[in-house]
Amino acid sequence: MGLLVELQKRIPDGWFLRRLLPAVLFVVVATVGGGQLGQRHWDDLGLARERIAGALRWSGGMSGDGVASLVLVGVAAVGAAFAVPFAGGAIGALASGAWPWWLMPLGRRLTAWRVRRWAPPEETGRRAVRARAAGRQLRADRLDARRARTGPAEPGSPTWSGDRFRATEAQVRAETGTDVASEWTRLLLALPDAPRAALSEARDAYDAACEALAWSIAFTVLGAWWWPAAPLGVVVGLASWRSLRGAVGALCRTTEAVFAMRHTGPPSPPPQP
């Protein structure tokens, strides 16, 4: 017990809540739903309770099979918790537009498709006004939402996030003459605590959204063995995608503000009366 308490003290809360608990949930769902129930008995709660009770049955002490089952579940959960940051990192690289060379043909097709669908925000706004005047309120609302998330420049990346990151890099370069990628580490080392914490929190939110997308993909794939996992994965994926867009916007705004503050100096305090 003392070892568990000490381990809990040393495990960061973010790692425990963001990685270990989802990993335990995924392994349990995969074991019970995909491994025991399957598609034929997907809603048989009695069978699920029976299999779980059989794995945890005590008879004057835990049996060898029960201990082995718990060890396997624990190893699988910890392994998934350590693997998800790598999957999240891969999703983060794709979201930022940094695609590997062997995916660039697909990336170029996606970029061309986004260019064909792109329209200047001003044109989209005029179409929304015309739709509202014609009484098509739902279409007008959809066009307003599209105008709000459309960048002013033509897409140059396979993803919206990649365009947003490149716009931030271009703005920082135009305002301060510095390159975000080459100056990032030096900036973190030289910043005061408050700006560094803001940048770290914004980047952590981006990483968390990418890891949530990784979990959504895992649950969706698990639906091939137990279909209720697929709708769960889709719902988590939609929520994670919205979180990712918000995290990208917050990270870009924070980066722009920090580089501008670093270039011009901190704002002067208001004059005392």
Side-chain angles (χ1 to χ4, degrees):
M1 183 62 69
L3 177 61
L4 294 178
V5 172
E6 185 65 24
L7 183 62
Q8 184 179 6
K9 292 180 181 178
R10 294 180 179 273
I11 292 179
D13 292 339
W15 187 88
F16 182 78
L17 295 174
R18 200 171 84 192
R19 293 171 182 166
L20 186 58
L21 285 185
V24 171
L25 175 63
F26 177 78
V27 170
V28 170
V29 171
T31 303
V32 177
Q36 301 294 333
L37 301 182
Q39 305 290 17
R40 175 175 294 184
H41 305 287
W42 66 271
D43 61 343
D44 194 341
L45 296 180
L47 178 60
R49 287 195 298 268
E50 178 184 345
R51 297 298 170 84
I52 294 175
L56 300 178
R57 184 173 292 117
W58 293 75
S59 57
M62 206 168 194
S63 65
D65 290 341
V67 172
S69 299
L70 285 181
V71 169
L72 288 177
V73 169
V75 169
V78 173
F82 278 105
V84 73
F86 297 98
I91 292 175
L94 293 177
S96 67
W99 289 37
W101 64 267
W102 48 274
L103 280 179
M104 284 310 298
L106 176 60
R108 283 189 288 270
R109 292 190 180 94
L110 284 177
T111 303
W113 175 75
R114 296 185 66 235
V115 169
R116 289 193 299 269
R117 292 185 70 250
W118 180 81
E122 297 80 7
E123 174 61 27
T124 306
R126 288 191 290 268
R127 291 164 58 189
V129 170
R130 291 194 296 266
R132 189 168 285 108
R136 305 173 65 181
Q137 188 65 37
L138 184 60
R139 174 174 171 78
D141 293 339
R142 183 172 64 84
L143 289 171
D144 284 337
R146 181 177 179 181
R147 177 178 59 85
R149 65 174 182 264
T150 300
E154 185 178 278
S157 172
T159 63
W160 174 87
S161 303
D163 288 334
R164 186 68 178 87
F165 284 135
R166 280 156 182 75
T168 294
E169 293 175 356
Q171 180 174 339
V172 170
R173 189 179 300 111
E175 292 182 352
T176 66
T178 56
D179 181 69
V180 173
S182 61
E183 293 292 326
W184 182 265
T185 303
R186 186 181 304 175
L187 179 74
L188 289 179
L189 294 176
L191 280 176
D193 292 339
R196 186 191 302 117
L199 271 180
S200 299
E201 290 176 3
R203 179 55 196 257
D204 189 64
Y206 176 77
D207 293 339
C210 293
E211 291 177 11
L213 278 174
W215 285 121
S216 71
I217 295 172
F219 275 98
T220 304
V221 172
L222 181 60
W225 290 271
W226 189 60
W227 74 260
L232 175 62
V234 171
V235 171
V236 173
L238 292 175
S240 303
W241 183 252
R242 290 183 62 88
S243 298
L244 178 62
R245 291 180 72 98
V248 168
L251 179 58
C252 290
R253 290 190 298 271
T254 305
T255 302
E256 293 165 4
V258 169
F259 269 93
M261 182 191 71
R262 182 68 177 169
H263 181 68
T264 61
S268 57
Q272 297 294 330

